[in-house]
Amino acid sequence: MRPRRLRLGAPTVGAALGAAALAPLVDLLTLLVVALLRGQSADPPVVVEPGFALPLSRQERAPGRPALTVDLGQNGLYLDGWRVGAAAAALEGGGGRVEPLYAALLRAPKGPLRLRVDARVPFAALDRLLLTAREAGYAEVELVATKASSL
Amino acid sequence: MSRLFAAEAEGPDARPALFAVVSLMLLLLPALLMTTAGDGLTGLGLAVPPGGAAPPLPHAGPLRALSVEVGPEGWALRAEVRSTDAHSLGAPSALREERGAGLGPLQRALRRLKALDPAQTRLSLRPDPDRPAQAVVALIDAVSADLEGELFPEVVLEAQPSDPPAAPVGEAAP
């Protein structure tokens, strides 16, 4: 039987195993990061109010860079995250523009406008938002939805 | 002179480099999870003419104008079609009207009209006021494209006129 040689300064068996175990871990983490980068959206999560849910769409076009964002939930109406009135201002009443939003839009810079409305909001309210945007001088309006393919 | 204990050639220790990569990944993963969202967003461009400006010029192709009115009982499709016959130059456009229910029949009707004038991309959509935004987006998706390709992706959302659409009775002659 051949005697086992001891070498000074040589890495132990445990250390060699540790290095070998790290390589698959790096592979796994790299795969995770790539999968996250492909599956996640660079847009921040849409948090307007509790229970807010965007409509689902089959379209795949990425949203543009808006100058302003108008949010309409079940409770409030927001311009760039700032509450400009109750949702009832758009949800209730007849046709015509939404006055609190119209006054805020007149003071805001002009450019592409992004609309984010709750999926349960009726079209009458959405139509009033579009009318308000048109009368305030916004010609480029985009309705934001969640890609059905991302779910 | 030969050495008593011959040293075997060994490569550098890879563990520090691997630990650095693992640490970087462990930082990247939570950073990505915190700054991004799992739900991808999409933007549906809505054609909104500026207030006070002149309406867009009518389309020059055979399909002059197209509108879809959607009510609780179905949809009504109205198309203004100009004849391509040389003898009918200057003649007024014919109005084609079709009614039905469901998104599939609507897409088939739109596909037939798209075949008449592939260059036309604009459509006016008039949903009923009580239709939720989710259903309106589904309508926009349906009129924008079908399985065969693009239909009318330039959608103008409009309010319905005061008189409601009649009940679907199948296909109406112009």
Side-chain angles (χ1 to χ4, degrees):
Chain A
M1 188 173 131
R2 190 175 174 188
R4 192 172 174 186
R5 286 194 305 176
L6 288 176
R7 288 186 286 115
L8 297 174
T12 61
V13 174
L17 276 179
L22 277 177
L25 181 61
V26 171
D27 293 345
L28 179 68
L29 288 172
T30 307
L31 286 174
L32 265 176
V33 168
V34 171
L36 272 176
L37 282 173
R38 283 182 60 86
Q40 300 283 100
S41 163
D43 288 307
V46 178
V47 182
V48 176
E49 55 189 30
F52 183 90
L54 286 172
L56 292 179
S57 172
R58 284 188 287 115
Q59 300 199 21
E60 292 287 327
R61 199 182 69 161
R65 292 190 67 82
L68 284 173
T69 301
V70 173
D71 296 316
L72 176 62
Q74 294 289 324
N75 299 317
L77 178 62
Y78 309 85
L79 179 60
D80 267 354
W82 297 94
R83 187 182 170 99
V84 294
L91 295 171
E92 293 171 4
R97 66 189 181 208
V98 185
E99 289 300 336
L101 179 63
Y102 179 71
L105 284 177
L106 284 182
R107 294 191 298 268
K110 298 292 179 286
L113 185 71
R114 176 187 280 188
L115 277 183
R116 297 189 304 198
V117 299
D118 189 274
R120 294 160 291 177
V121 162
F123 173 68
L126 177 58
D127 184 50
R128 292 186 69 195
L129 292 184
L130 289 172
L131 174 73
T132 307
R134 184 167 63 232
E135 292 193 356
Y138 290 85
E140 203 178 331
V141 179
E142 189 178 56
L143 182 64
V144 178
T146 301
K147 277 189 217 171
S149 61
S150 71
L151 299 179
Chain B
M1 175 182 169
S2 63
R3 297 180 62 180
L4 182 57
F5 299 104
E8 293 176 8
E10 289 179 8
D13 193 357
R15 281 173 299 166
L18 285 173
F19 274 124
V21 175
V22 170
S23 309
L24 178 67
M25 295 289 184
L26 287 177
L27 285 174
L28 264 177
L29 277 173
L32 272 174
L33 285 172
M34 281 191 293
T35 56
T36 60
D39 303 339
L41 299 182
T42 183
L44 314 176
L46 301 177
V48 178
L57 290 172
H59 180 63
L63 189 55
R64 300 292 299 267
L66 183 61
S67 70
V68 177
E69 198 169 315
V70 184
E73 295 173 343
W75 47 263
L77 175 64
R78 291 185 184 90
E80 202 179 313
V81 183
R82 193 180 60 187
S83 172
T84 52
D85 186 358
H87 296 291
S88 64
L89 280 177
S93 305
L95 186 70
R96 283 193 192 181
E97 193 170 330
E98 198 170 332
R99 294 173 189 275
L103 294 181
L106 174 62
Q107 283 185 316
R108 286 193 287 276
L110 289 174
R111 176 55 62 191
R112 286 194 293 273
L113 288 168
K114 186 72 176 176
L116 284 179
D117 187 358
Q120 174 63 284
T121 57
R122 197 178 179 92
L123 176 145
S124 297
L125 184 61
R126 298 170 185 153
D128 52 319
D130 297 329
R131 189 166 291 262
Q134 176 58 70
V136 175
V137 169
L139 274 172
I140 295 174
D141 285 349
V143 301
S144 297
D146 64 359
L147 288 174
E148 293 179 38
E150 182 183 275
L151 285 170
F152 300 94
E154 199 179 340
V155 178
V156 185
L157 276 180
E158 292 177 350
Q160 287 185 356
S162 51
D163 51 335
V169 288
E171 202 164 320

